């Protein structure tokens, strides 16, 4: 075939494919247009997964009759004029492609009346062919109706899912914009039924109630806006992002990352990096495989970013990505640490668990004190969570020692560790069941799980060592021989370098045995052949597990070492040992939970005691 210019309609359909991939992309463009038109109320109607009908109505500025044909022309927009405008985009749209693209693959009717006009007008476009603009009665604002979406596009170009799934995508999109724009009243109607609405009262929490429900909303905490003084000073205020929003308490979580949303200047954006910043802030407070719920608004000078990365505008590029990353992580970490106080026992006869919430597995343990992990649960969640309690790891520092690239905080320099609230000074009263240390603090009784607490202390110590210069290694007076099966030996041999990185010195010892000459110093007291064997197998078998949780091998490994080295439940401790443990716990940042995300302590406040004894 010789080279030919494609016919216009073919070219238009190909171009449209970039913008309009599925029904939800249409919904997105229409909602963005309504928001750009200063709408206060936006209503979405959808049928047949969006293929039969998508209608978006708004009460915004409207489109004058004479502008209507132009609205459907490619690269026609009222939002920017010149190239330089591209650097200061304050609107969601700017490419002037959406209506043209949608009209290339569907039948579109536009009905609109600018607020100031007395009469409205209407025009239809059928597969790119523009009809006559005719007068029509209309409320102030714009209604765009899309029918027969993709009807003329060869089926093999479409990768659509079932109608129900496409509908779900469309509704999710609307929900995201409802979270981003609490001042706007959103309504969704699916197959003739109203399925969603927000009050439009300007409160983000109201939108969260509408989208995620009251139970989740009750578990959300607001991010404090940072004062200028708290921000890194090497940047001017226009360069600095302002982060606001809500994040879930560690006791409230989901099984996927889908509930983490970012809005940059009101635009919903996807960003793996920012996801990482949020999850990093929960490190050690959420069990692996659990993800927080977050609604995070980032306000940033438009000159500090590029939104013109992709035709669908779902990605943005930040000029100073590290700054945005660090601001998000700081804000989330501060909020999470401030709320994850020791779980409070409340209510009569310890009946109402105040923390963790009923979403958490702890709550279902009938009869157990709320918040205290049962042994069964502790055993069930032997997978270590992820760790780092502080802010970012200083890039390049000490990481070189480790294998596998060290701790994966991509390119972020520590901006000063986020200070968690330290524990108040506690007076040790004694040990219960050889497992819990009971203490008195400024407001009542604090009960500490000795294993969880010790695990947390050891982990923080090792993390600090790792950051500073690498894990301290301790040569064993008597090297220990560990007997392994052939495949186990191979696995250990494959990891010798990584194991060395965290303080082990191991060498072959004939047959399938290995000789352990040195261990992480923390572990030296526990270096018996049997426990070393168990630990080594855990460490070398954890590659895929760590990877699937987005952890490095070292993160995973240190948590395992801490767990092994920590004193166990059931071990009697002298009063001196108990005091020492509490003293060390007071120094720890994320003292509320062990590295598996289980609580380290439960608090029984004086008020709760008074209630129990009917004193108030
Ligand atoms: P863009 O949003 O990139 O400007 P679109 O193709 O989405 O391009 O829309 C073209 C133009 O049509 C917009 O610039 C705007 O002037 C007008 N328009 C589209 N939808 C609406 C609406 N709901 N209310 C008012 N004007 C609209
Ligand atoms: Mg647009």
């Amino acid at each position: 075939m010789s080279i030919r210019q494609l016919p216009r309609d073919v070219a238009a359909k190909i171009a449209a494919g970039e913008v309009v991939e599925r029904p939800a992309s249409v919904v997105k463009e229409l909602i963005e247009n309504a928001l750009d038109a200063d709408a206060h109320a936006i209503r979405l109607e959808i049928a047949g997964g969006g293929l039969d009908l998508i209608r978006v109505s708004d009460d915004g500025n409207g489109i004058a009759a004479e502008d209507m044909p132009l609205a459907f022309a490619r690269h026609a927009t009222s939002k920017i004029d010149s190239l330089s405008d591209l650097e200061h985009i304050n609107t969601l749209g700017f490419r002037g492609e959406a209506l043209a693209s949608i009209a290339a693959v569907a039948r579109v009717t536009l009905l609109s009346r600018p607020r100031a006009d007395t009469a409205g007008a209407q025009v239809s476009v059928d597969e790119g062919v523009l009809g006559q603009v005719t007068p029509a009665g209309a409320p102030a604002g714009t209604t765009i109706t899309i029918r027969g979406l993709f009807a003329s596009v060869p089926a093999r170009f479409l990768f659509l899912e079932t109608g129900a799934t496409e509908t779900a995508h469309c509704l999710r999109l609307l929900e995201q914009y409802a979270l981003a724009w609490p001042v706007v009243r959103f309504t969704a109607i699916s197959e003739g039924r109203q399925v969603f609405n927000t009050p439009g009262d300007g409160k983000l929490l109201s939108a969260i109630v509408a989208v995620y429900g009251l139970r989740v909303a009750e578990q959300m905490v607001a991010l404090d806006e940072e004062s200028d003084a708290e921000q890194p000073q090497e940047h001017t205020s226009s360069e600095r992002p302002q982060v606001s929003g809500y994040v879930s308490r560690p006791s409230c979580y989901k099984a996927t990352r889908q509930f983490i949303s970012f809005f940059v200047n009101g635009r919903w954006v996807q960003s793996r990096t920012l996801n990482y910043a949020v999850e990093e802030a929960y490190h050690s407070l959420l069990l692996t495989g659990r993800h927080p719920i977050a609604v995070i608004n980032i306000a940033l000078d438009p000159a500090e970013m590029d939104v013109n990365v992709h035709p669908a505008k779902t990605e943005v590029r930040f000029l100073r990505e590290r700054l945005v990353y660090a601001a998000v992580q700081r804000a989330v970490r501060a909020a999470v640490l401030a709320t994850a106080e020791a779980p409070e026992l409340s209510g009569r006869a310890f009946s109402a668990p105040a923390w963790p919430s009923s979403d958490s597995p702890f709550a279902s343990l009938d009869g157990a004190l709320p918040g205290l992990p049962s042994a069964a649960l502790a055993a069930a969640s032997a997978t270590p969570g992820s760790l780092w309690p502080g802010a970012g790891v200083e890039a390049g520092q000490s990481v070189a020692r480790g294998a596998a690239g060290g701790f994966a905080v991509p390119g972020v320099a520590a901006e000063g560790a986020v200070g968690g609230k330290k524990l108040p000074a506690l007076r040790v009263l004694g040990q219960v069941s050889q497992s819990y240390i009971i203490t008195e603090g400024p407001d009542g009784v604090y009960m500490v799980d000795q294993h969880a607490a010790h695990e947390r202390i050891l982990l923080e110590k090792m993390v600090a060592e790792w950051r500073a210069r690498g894990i301290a290694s301790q040569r064993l007076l008597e090297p220990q021989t560990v007997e392994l099966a052939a495949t186990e030996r191979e696995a250990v041999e494959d990891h010798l370098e990584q194991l060395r990185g965290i303080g082990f010195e191991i060498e072959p010892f004939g047959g399938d045995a290995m000789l352990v000459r040195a261990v992480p110093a923390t572990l030296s007291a526990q270096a018996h052949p049997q426990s070393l064997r168990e630990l080594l197998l855990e460490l070398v078998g954890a590659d895929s597990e760590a990877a699937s949780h987005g952890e490095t091998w070292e993160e995973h490994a240190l948590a395992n070492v801490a767990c092994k080295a920590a004193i166990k439940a059931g071990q009697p401790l002298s009063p001196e040992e108990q005091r020492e443990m509490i003293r060390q716990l007071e120094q720890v940042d994320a003292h509320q939970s062990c590295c598996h995300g289980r609580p380290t302590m439960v608090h029984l406040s004086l008020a709760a005691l008074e209630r129990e004894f009917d004193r108030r």
Side-chain angles (χ1 to χ4, degrees):
M1 240 187 330
S2 54
I3 301 176
R4 280 171 294 144
Q5 194 85 46
L6 283 175
R8 265 178 56 115
D9 59 327
V10 178
K13 282 205 168 89
I14 290 174
E18 295 199 319
V19 181
V20 189
E21 211 184 323
R22 63 191 332 166
S25 356
V26 173
V27 171
K28 172 174 186 292
E29 295 297 338
L30 298 183
I31 291 177
E32 288 188 353
N33 280 346
L35 290 169
D36 280 345
D38 285 330
H40 300 294
I42 298 177
R43 183 184 133 109
L44 165 71
E45 231 180 300
I46 177 170
L51 299 182
D52 296 342
L53 169 75
I54 296 173
R55 177 181 292 135
V56 173
S57 317
D58 67 58
D59 61 352
N61 298 333
I63 304 174
E66 62 271 23
D67 286 344
M68 283 186 174
L70 211 50
F72 288 99
R74 195 162 291 278
H75 309 304
T77 177
S78 56
K79 301 172 192 175
I80 59 173
D81 269 333
S82 63
L83 201 57
S84 62
D85 287 348
L86 260 185
E87 281 155 32
H88 312 275
I89 290 173
N90 288 312
T91 50
L92 297 169
F94 56 89
R95 296 170 60 105
E97 287 185 315
L99 290 184
S101 298
I102 295 166
V105 291
R107 284 175 285 138
V108 181
T109 304
L110 164 64
L111 172 69
S112 187
R113 173 166 74 83
R115 267 186 213 123
D117 294 5
T118 45
Q122 174 173 333
V123 66
S124 291
V125 191
D126 195 346
E127 301 284 341
V129 182
L130 190 70
Q132 285 292 322
V133 178
T134 53
T142 303
T143 296
I144 297 192
T145 307
I146 318 283
R147 292 183 193 274
L149 179 63
F150 299 136
S152 65
V153 177
R156 68 193 136 90
F157 289 146
L158 295 178
F159 298 94
L160 297 181
E161 298 177 65
T162 62
T165 309
E166 293 300 333
T167 302
H169 281 298
C170 293
L171 294 177
R172 172 158 151 78
L173 212 125
L174 184 89
E175 288 172 356
Q176 294 301 316
Y177 275 92
L179 290 172
W181 294 76
V183 291
V184 176
R185 193 148 45 80
F186 285 87
T187 310
I189 290 154
S190 172
E191 313 294 340
R193 253 177 2 108
Q194 179 173 324
V195 290
F196 176 77
N197 76 302
T198 59
D201 60 3
K203 298 194 183 104
L204 175 51
L205 207 53
S206 309
I208 292 177
V209 171
V211 174
Y212 294 136
L214 188 59
R215 279 206 24 215
V216 166
E218 283 171 351
Q219 294 293 316
M220 303 292 279
V221 292
L223 303 180
D224 276 340
E225 291 193 32
E226 285 180 309
S227 67
D228 272 356
E230 287 167 317
Q231 301 233 7
Q233 291 301 308
E234 66 269 28
H235 299 280
T236 65
S237 59
S238 81
E239 292 167 356
R240 288 198 292 249
Q242 292 293 334
V243 179
S244 62
Y246 283 84
V247 295
S248 56
R249 289 168 197 277
S251 51
C252 177
Y253 47 80
K254 296 283 183 183
T256 74
R257 293 193 178 84
Q258 278 214 12
F259 299 82
I260 305 176
S261 309
F262 299 100
F263 307 105
V264 180
N265 295 348
R267 179 192 307 280
W268 181 35
V269 301
Q270 323 271 358
S271 162
R272 289 174 61 114
T273 317
L274 292 182
N275 267 338
Y276 198 86
V278 170
E279 300 224 61
E280 182 74 7
Y282 281 83
H283 248 178
S284 81
L285 297 173
L286 275 183
L287 291 167
T288 48
R290 295 179 177 175
H291 305 279
I293 301 158
V295 178
I296 295 181
N297 288 302
I298 300 168
L300 188 60
D301 184 336
E304 286 291 307
M305 66 187 158
D306 182 3
V307 291
N308 195 18
V309 180
H310 185 270
K313 301 163 290 174
T314 50
E315 283 169 45
V316 293
R317 226 175 262 137
F318 297 109
L319 214 56
R320 281 167 252 265
E321 184 166 53
R322 285 155 152 243
L323 206 61
V324 181
Y325 181 103
V328 168
Q329 201 205 35
R330 256 196 330 265
V332 177
R333 185 71 183 169
V336 171
L337 279 186
T339 61
E341 294 291 87
E344 175 93 21
L345 291 182
S346 65
R348 300 198 61 96
F350 310 118
S351 56
W355 189 96
S357 80
S358 45
D359 266 343
S360 133
F362 309 127
S364 60
L365 300 171
D366 267 348
L369 280 183
L372 286 179
S374 75
L377 185 77
S381 53
T383 327
S386 39
L387 340 170
W388 314 118
V393 172
E394 211 132 15
Q397 186 196 352
S398 83
V399 168
R401 252 199 84 173
F407 298 109
V409 184
V412 175
E415 304 263 357
V418 178
K421 264 199 201 160
K422 301 263 186 206
L423 267 185
L426 300 177
R427 185 169 69 89
V428 172
L429 303 176
Q431 196 186 21
V432 169
S433 190
Q434 303 181 341
S435 301
Y436 308 107
I437 302 173
I438 311 302
T439 70
E440 180 185 9
D443 180 28
V445 180
Y446 297 75
M447 293 168 265
V448 176
D449 178 316
Q450 67 190 37
H451 172 71
H454 195 211
E455 187 173 306
R456 164 56 66 193
I457 292 166
L458 294 179
L459 182 65
E460 291 227 351
K461 184 165 155 270
M462 283 190 289
V463 170
E465 282 174 8
W466 174 274
R467 287 187 185 159
R469 50 177 198 283
I471 302 295
S473 180
Q474 168 85 53
R475 287 189 80 82
L476 298 174
L477 283 177
E478 244 179 276
Q480 301 286 333
T481 316
V482 177
E483 301 287 345
L484 297 166
T487 50
E488 294 169 346
R489 175 185 50 79
E490 282 164 23
V492 171
E493 282 180 343
D494 285 347
H495 288 82
L496 282 183
E497 201 47 42
Q498 282 166 302
L499 288 165
R500 198 194 325 278
I502 60 168
F504 283 99
E505 241 177 75
I506 303 176
E507 57 194 50
F509 197 55
D512 290 323
M514 303 289 277
L515 189 69
V516 180
R517 290 194 174 280
V519 296
T522 314
L523 197 67
S524 52
Q526 319 279 332
H528 324 297
Q530 186 50 32
S531 69
L532 276 177
R533 178 173 190 281
E534 277 171 22
L535 179 61
L536 283 179
L537 294 182
E538 264 166 32
L539 296 183
V540 302
D543 295 352
S544 57
E545 204 174 328
S548 73
H549 294 128
E551 295 173 310
T552 61
W553 184 87
E554 285 76 8
E555 285 178 293
H556 208 80
L558 291 189
N560 262 318
V561 171
C563 184
K564 260 281 173 316
I567 60 152
K568 305 292 178 287
Q571 183 171 328
L573 297 176
S574 71
E576 193 38 58
E577 288 169 329
Q578 295 170 31
R579 277 196 292 276
E580 180 56 24
M581 164 102 65
I582 297 302
R583 199 190 57 74
Q584 290 187 20
L585 188 62
E586 288 164 5
Q587 308 304 314
V588 163
D589 257 348
H591 55 74
Q592 317 83 353
S593 68
C594 73
C595 22
H596 301 119
R598 299 195 302 270
T600 47
M601 65 167 61
V602 172
H603 175 206
L604 181 58
S605 68
L606 286 177
L609 274 176
E610 283 171 5
R611 273 199 304 277
E612 287 306 316
F613 291 108
D614 283 341
R615 285 178 176 276
R616 52 150 97 171

